[in-house]
């Protein structure tokens, strides 16, 4: 079971490999990530765990791409499984013993090709690294996936990362240190990564770059395990016992001391098997370590890593399953939104877009949009707001008397009565003034049409912002243009209809309107205002009127209304100062207005006309506030709903450029490719996980 768990993760790793090991992968797999300074012995530790020389060597940055190393324990022969040290040494000498049929490597980028010669594996790693990074020692975050099958390894997954370096060498970019650090951080900051921090024992642990980075992402040391290399190179009399006891920098998984081959050993062709033998002898015979020798060395490290990895996989598998399913759903939905690749003909694409648009347009106007928002009014609700709040209030706010002054009424009364002064209130004066004021309603009504036009264009924007439309930018652009053009054409008859309504109100003043104040009523109201009936004072005790002697004297009327007859018909137009002009009977001035104090009768007549204007104007306001929205609804909104599909079909469907219009957006094509790849990879991954 344990083996299958690691095997499952390995399969997942292969399945997700096309996505790269970077942050683009939606699933974070448990893996052991190896970090350490350049030349701290990372590669040697890995080779010792595998028991083979297969990693590129040299000075400077040798590892320039992450190497995902999957070790798979493959039982060789029916013999009981051997330990890492019990290695088949029948062919003792020469390289012949290094290559046998039980051990081989495979690269993910070269499927079905088995490398039995580990020297060839090294060459392939160098070749593949150069293919991505060039020869100038640059680095790349794209991993190389290598599997090694062997009876002498424990099933493990390790990621070897470039060593931390401080100074650029040769043609390396100046910010090589930052690049490497960023790449390492990408791998080790994932919560499912176990950090294998490799440190040279003969340098101060507090200066270790590997530990410093591990600390940044894992301050508690909860997922970091330390390896101390070069223990045999420490000064005489010094050891790493304090570190192992966790007294220096404690880590949850502790530290394992190991010994690698030195440069001299490699040059003298010392085999790893021999080196492992020497390592065991060193720890068993060293005074500081012999008591705990079985907790030291590479074989113990491999076992420990295997255990940690297994434990970790068991803990994270349910979460990985959930993430894969979640990501698969997300990308599948995105893919269905993007739609399939261009399989349809241009005309059918245009047809389906026009149909969709018309359906959405109708839906939004009638309040059946796909996503109804609770945050703001949209579509039909905004149109209703324009009609019933903005337009209605605009009409209600019109006040005829902010333009009609009493003097104007008086002048018109004189003008309409012609050469003979009128005997009673002139209907004509009332009509002239009302018509002038009704004309003022035209402006808010036309403004209302324009506001509704803006709202319909707003609905258009709301619809074509959906991903469905951005797929064909050319078609979307044309559809938008034709829709606005159609609305503009419809504005002409709508405006004509609405101005006709106002003109009709203006042309015929219906003085017989049932709601209009009657002339006699108006007279009575004004009469009551100017000559109030004397208030009869009642005796509070008996409730009977008091005798006339105790009644208060009647209030005298306003002095303005006194008509002493001297003013004549035009009031005091010629004041006493102009007595001379009176005597000389000069011609009247070029502009004459009725001025001076009004007689009581004139004041009363003016008030009557004002009452009638006010009454009739309110009737017209109600009518206009009611009829104009109906007219706009009929001529613009309903017409656009009914006609838009037909108009778009005529213009787009027969467009000679239709071929070009249905070219897909580059971004959509790119996105679809990514989604298809993601969905395929995640489906694979999902199948692998489901089998556990």
């Amino acid at each position: 079971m344990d083996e299958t768990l690691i095997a499952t993760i390995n399969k997942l790793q292969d399945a997700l490999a096309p996505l790269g090991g970077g942050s683009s992968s939606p699933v974070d797999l448990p893996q052991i990530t190896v970090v350490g300074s350049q030349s701290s012995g990372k590669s040697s530790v890995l080779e010792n765990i595998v028991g083979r020389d297969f990693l590129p060597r040299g000075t400077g940055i040798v590892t320039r791409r992450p190497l995902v190393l999957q070790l798979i324990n493959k039982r060789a022969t029916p013999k009981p499984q051997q330990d890492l040290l019990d290695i088949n040494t029948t062919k003792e000498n020469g390289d012949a013993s290094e290559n046998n049929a039980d051990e081989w490597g495979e690269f993910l980028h070269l499927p079905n090709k088995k490398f039995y010669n580990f020297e060839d594996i090294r060459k392939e790693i160098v070749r593949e690294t150069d293919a991505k990074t060039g020869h100038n020692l640059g680095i790349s975050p794209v991993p190389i996936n290598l599997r090694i099958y062997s009876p002498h390894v424990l099933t493990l997954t390790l990621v070897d990362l470039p060593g931390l370096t401080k100074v650029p060498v040769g043609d390396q970019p100046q910010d090589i240190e930052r690049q490497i650090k960023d790449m390492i951080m990408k791998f080790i900051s994932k919560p499912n990564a176990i950090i294998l921090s490799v440190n040279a024992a003969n340098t101060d642990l507090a200066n270790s770059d590997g530990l410093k980075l591990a600390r940044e992402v894992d301050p508690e040391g909860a997922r970091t395990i330390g390896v101390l290399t070069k223990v045999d190179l420490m000064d005489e009399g010094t050891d790493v016992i304090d570190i192992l006891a966790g007294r220096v920098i404690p880590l949850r998984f502790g530290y394992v001391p190991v010994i690698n081959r030195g440069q001299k050993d490699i040059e003298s062709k010392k085999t790893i098997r021999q080196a492992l033998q020497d390592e065991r002898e060193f720890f068993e015979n060293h005074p500081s370590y012999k008591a705990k020798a079985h907790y030291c060395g590479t074989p113990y490290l491999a076992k420990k890593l295997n255990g940690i990895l297994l434990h970790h996989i068991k803990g994270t598998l349910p979460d990985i399953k959930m993430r894969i399913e979640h990501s698969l759903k997300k990308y599948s939905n995105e893919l269905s939104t993007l739609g399939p690749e261009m399989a349809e003909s241009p005309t059918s694409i245009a047809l389906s877009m026009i149909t969709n648009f018309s359906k959405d347009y109708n839906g939004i106007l009638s309040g059946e949009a796909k996503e109804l928002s609770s945050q703001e009014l949209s579509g039909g609700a905004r149109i209703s707001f324009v009609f019933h709040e903005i337009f209605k209030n605009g009409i209600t706010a019109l006040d005829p008397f902010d333009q009609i002054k009493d003097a104007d009424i008086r002048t018109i009364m004189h003008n309409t009565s012609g050469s003979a002064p009128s005997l009673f209130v002139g209907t004509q004066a009332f009509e002239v003034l009302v018509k002038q004021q009704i004309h003022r309603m035209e402006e808010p009504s036309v403004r209302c049409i324009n506001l509704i036009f803006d709202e319909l264009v707003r609905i258009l924007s709301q619809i074509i912002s959906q991903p469905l439309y951005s797929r064909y930018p050319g078609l979307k652009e044309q559809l938008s243009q034709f829709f606005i053009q159609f609305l503009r054409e419809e504005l002409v008859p709508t405006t004509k209809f609405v101005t006709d309504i106002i003109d009709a109100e203006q042309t015929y003043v219906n003085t017989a309107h049932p709601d209009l104040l009657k002339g006699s009523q108006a007279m009575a109201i004004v009469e009551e205002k100017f000559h109030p009936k004397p208030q009869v004072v009642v005796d509070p005790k008996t409730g009977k009127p008091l005798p006339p002697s105790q009644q208060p004297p009647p209030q005298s009327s306003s002095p303005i209304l006194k008509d002493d007859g001297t003013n004549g018909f035009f009031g005091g137009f010629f004041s006493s100062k102009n007595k001379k002009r009176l005597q000389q009977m000069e011609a009247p001035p070029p502009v004459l207005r009725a001025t001076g104090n009004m007689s009581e009768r004139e004041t009363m007549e003016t008030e009557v006309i004002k009452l009638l204007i006010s009454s009739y104007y309110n009737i017209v306001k109600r009518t206009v506030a009611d009829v104009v929205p109906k007219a706009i609804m009929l001529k613009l909104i309903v017409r656009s709903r009914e006609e838009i599909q037909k108009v778009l079909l005529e213009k787009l469907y027969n467009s000679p450029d239709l071929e070009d219009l249905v070219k897909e957006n580059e971004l959509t094509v790119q996105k679809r490719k990514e989604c298809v790849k993601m969905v395929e990879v995640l489906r694979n991954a999902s199948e692998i996980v489901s089998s556990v």
Side-chain angles (χ1 to χ4, degrees):
M1 172 60 193
D2 291 353
E3 295 293 313
T4 46
L5 271 183
I6 296 184
T8 302
I9 293 295
N10 287 350
K11 274 190 201 155
L12 272 180
Q13 221 149 15
D14 289 354
L16 298 172
L19 308 181
S23 48
S24 62
S25 172
V27 187
D28 163 22
L29 296 178
Q31 55 192 15
I32 297 170
T33 324
V34 187
V35 291
S37 307
Q38 195 175 305
S39 310
S40 58
K42 294 198 319 311
S43 299
S44 302
V45 170
L46 292 179
E47 287 187 330
N48 282 4
I49 289 175
V50 177
R52 284 313 202 97
D53 284 328
F54 67 96
L55 290 172
R57 291 198 166 273
T59 53
I61 304 185
V62 179
T63 311
R64 304 209 309 279
R65 278 176 65 182
L67 175 70
V68 177
L69 182 60
Q70 299 174 350
L71 306 183
I72 294 157
N73 178 280
K74 188 167 184 315
R75 291 184 173 78
T77 41
K79 287 188 297 205
Q81 191 198 338
Q82 304 152 323
D83 194 277
L84 205 58
L85 289 175
D86 311 340
I87 281 177
N88 175 12
T89 47
T90 44
K91 298 176 185 165
E92 234 349 285
N93 309 315
D95 283 346
S97 64
E98 289 289 301
N99 302 320
N100 64 54
D102 287 340
E103 294 180 70
W104 73 88
E106 283 176 13
F107 286 95
L108 191 64
H109 62 269
L110 296 174
N112 306 324
K113 182 174 179 190
K114 293 185 177 181
F115 290 80
Y116 288 99
N117 184 340
F118 279 71
E119 188 54 47
D120 293 346
I121 293 181
R122 174 179 298 160
K123 287 176 184 159
E124 181 53 34
I125 293 175
V126 172
R127 193 198 63 72
E128 182 60 18
T129 300
D130 287 346
K132 268 282 185 294
T133 61
H135 295 280
N136 69 342
L137 304 182
I139 61 165
S140 158
V142 183
I144 297 176
N145 286 52
L146 168 64
R147 281 189 166 178
I148 292 182
Y149 295 86
S150 160
H152 312 310
V153 295
L154 284 168
T155 303
L156 261 188
T157 303
L158 299 148
V159 182
D160 186 20
L161 293 171
L164 286 154
T165 175
K166 291 275 186 274
V167 183
V169 181
D171 299 343
Q172 282 170 359
Q174 286 305 307
D175 60 345
I176 188 86
E177 180 184 3
R178 187 191 55 77
Q179 281 189 26
I180 293 179
K181 187 176 171 188
D182 289 351
M183 186 203 297
I184 292 175
M185 288 306 255
K186 227 177 207 160
F187 278 89
I188 64 173
S189 55
K190 296 183 179 178
N192 281 352
I194 296 163
I195 304 165
L196 182 64
S197 172
V198 179
N199 317 284
N202 58 354
T203 57
D204 189 351
L205 199 59
N207 289 332
S208 160
D209 291 325
L211 271 182
K212 180 168 171 274
L213 275 189
R215 267 289 144 96
E216 282 181 37
V217 293
D218 177 29
E220 303 291 308
R223 52 188 180 89
T224 308
I225 172 170
V227 176
L228 299 170
T229 58
K230 309 188 182 179
V231 181
D232 53 334
L233 303 181
M234 294 180 73
D235 295 343
E236 195 74 32
T238 57
D239 57 34
V240 289
I241 293 297
D242 276 356
I243 297 176
L244 298 182
R247 288 195 279 269
V248 182
I249 298 175
L251 296 176
R252 178 179 159 200
F253 294 124
Y255 294 84
V256 179
V258 298
I259 293 171
N260 303 330
R261 295 171 305 164
Q263 198 58 37
K264 194 169 151 219
D265 297 334
I266 293 167
E267 281 164 16
S268 64
K269 295 268 195 288
K270 179 179 184 180
T271 64
I272 289 186
R273 302 151 194 221
Q274 187 55 52
L276 289 173
Q277 191 63 47
D278 293 349
E279 179 188 55
R280 182 160 77 179
E281 283 167 10
F282 174 85
F283 286 119
E284 283 175 352
N285 299 324
H286 193 286
S288 303
Y289 308 115
K290 59 182 177 193
K292 299 267 188 206
H294 52 294
Y295 293 124
C296 301
T298 309
Y300 173 68
L301 175 65
K303 275 200 185 100
K304 182 159 182 159
L305 290 177
N306 175 272
I308 292 172
L309 189 61
L310 268 177
H311 181 72
H312 199 50
I313 291 171
K314 281 178 184 159
T316 54
L317 212 54
D319 179 54
I320 289 174
K321 258 185 185 171
M322 192 186 75
R323 273 168 193 267
I324 290 175
E325 292 311 319
H326 179 74
S327 300
L328 183 57
K329 192 169 159 203
K330 178 181 128 189
Y331 284 106
S332 301
N333 287 348
E334 200 172 320
L335 194 58
S336 64
T337 313
L338 290 170
E341 273 184 78
M342 280 265 297
E344 314 159 70
S345 64
T347 44
S348 66
I349 291 170
L351 182 64
S352 78
M353 190 183 266
I354 292 167
T355 314
N356 273 323
F357 179 81
S358 311
K359 203 168 104 212
D360 288 349
Y361 183 63
N362 270 306
I364 289 176
L365 282 173
S366 50
E368 295 159 8
K370 287 181 192 140
E371 282 115 23
L372 285 174
S373 166
S374 58
Q375 307 301 314
E376 57 170 353
L377 292 179
S378 66
R382 288 182 65 94
I383 288 173
S384 169
F385 183 83
V386 171
F387 283 156
H388 302 296
E389 296 292 329
I390 299 175
F391 177 62
K392 191 176 172 204
N393 291 341
I395 291 290
T396 313
L398 290 175
D399 175 13
F401 301 112
D402 56 11
Q403 287 192 2
I404 303 177
K405 300 288 174 272
D406 288 1
D408 304 334
I409 297 177
R410 200 169 154 200
T411 304
I412 283 187
M413 273 176 3
H414 290 320
N415 285 340
T416 51
S417 58
S419 54
S422 69
L423 289 171
F424 42 80
V425 174
T427 310
Q428 229 178 331
F430 156 73
E431 280 196 15
V432 169
L433 288 165
V434 160
K435 284 177 180 178
Q436 276 179 6
Q437 293 306 309
I438 290 176
H439 184 68
R440 290 173 66 191
M441 295 187 186
E442 188 173 299
E443 198 229 350
S445 303
V446 173
R447 172 103 183 94
C448 179
I449 300 174
N450 291 325
L451 286 174
I452 296 298
F453 172 80
D454 293 344
E455 286 306 322
L456 297 180
V457 173
R458 189 188 173 99
I459 292 176
L460 161 80
S461 315
Q462 186 186 335
I463 297 173
I464 61 176
S465 65
Q466 294 172 32
L468 171 76
Y469 295 90
S470 54
R471 191 174 161 189
Y472 305 106
L475 197 56
K476 169 182 167 179
E477 184 61 32
Q478 285 284 293
L479 182 138
S480 173
Q481 275 176 10
F482 288 139
F483 178 77
I484 293 174
Q485 189 185 332
F486 167 71
L487 285 184
R488 282 200 194 289
E489 286 164 7
E490 292 305 313
L491 276 186
V492 180
T494 310
T495 309
K496 173 86 176 72
F497 188 26
V498 167
T499 48
D500 281 354
I501 290 171
I502 307 294
D503 287 349
E505 288 287 351
Q506 207 177 325
T507 308
Y508 179 63
V509 176
N510 179 13
T511 47
H513 196 289
D515 296 343
L516 178 63
L517 201 60
K518 301 280 177 293
S520 51
Q521 291 171 310
M523 295 289 269
I525 293 169
V526 172
E527 179 64 41
E528 174 61 35
K529 184 173 166 187
F530 284 107
H531 302 122
K533 290 196 178 74
Q535 291 287 316
V536 180
V537 180
V538 183
D539 183 344
K541 290 179 185 160
T542 62
K544 289 176 183 166
L546 290 170
S549 58
Q550 292 177 12
Q551 292 288 351
Q555 295 281 317
S556 66
S557 292
S558 146
I560 299 175
L561 302 176
K562 285 251 173 40
D563 190 1
D564 53 8
T566 55
N567 279 346
F569 184 62
F570 280 102
F573 184 80
F574 299 113
S575 64
S576 52
K577 283 181 192 161
N578 293 346
K579 283 264 167 68
K580 266 201 182 114
R581 295 178 75 174
L582 273 172
Q583 288 159 0
Q584 290 167 10
M585 282 187 64
E586 284 180 16
V591 176
L592 257 180
R593 280 178 71 81
T595 56
N597 292 337
M598 292 201 268
S599 65
E600 179 175 325
R601 186 181 142 215
E602 280 185 313
T603 309
M604 288 180 73
E605 285 187 356
T606 305
E607 288 297 322
V608 168
I609 285 190
K610 281 166 83 171
L611 273 177
L612 292 173
I613 289 174
S614 191
S615 169
Y616 191 74
Y617 203 60
N618 284 337
I619 292 170
V620 180
K621 273 185 188 177
R622 279 204 303 278
T623 310
V624 168
D626 183 45
V627 177
V628 168
K630 290 177 177 171
I632 297 175
M633 199 74 195
L634 171 74
K635 287 288 189 180
L636 187 61
I637 299 175
V638 172
R639 190 162 155 71
S640 70
R641 282 173 75 157
E642 288 170 352
E643 296 294 314
I644 191 61
Q645 189 161 3
K646 189 167 121 249
V647 170
L648 289 174
L649 279 174
E650 276 171 16
K651 304 241 182 176
L652 280 174
Y653 208 60
N654 304 322
S655 163
D657 313 328
L658 195 57
E659 283 283 346
D660 293 335
L661 290 180
V662 295
K663 283 211 166 75
E664 273 199 308
N665 182 347
E666 277 304 307
L667 204 68
T668 309
V669 178
Q670 191 53 38
K671 254 188 149 172
R672 186 186 299 107
K673 273 187 189 152
E674 277 171 27
C675 279
V676 168
K677 179 172 153 187
M678 278 291 197
V679 167
E680 191 186 334
V681 164
L682 289 165
R683 279 213 182 107
N684 254 339
S686 175
E687 280 168 26
I688 294 166
V689 178
S690 308
S691 64
V692 177

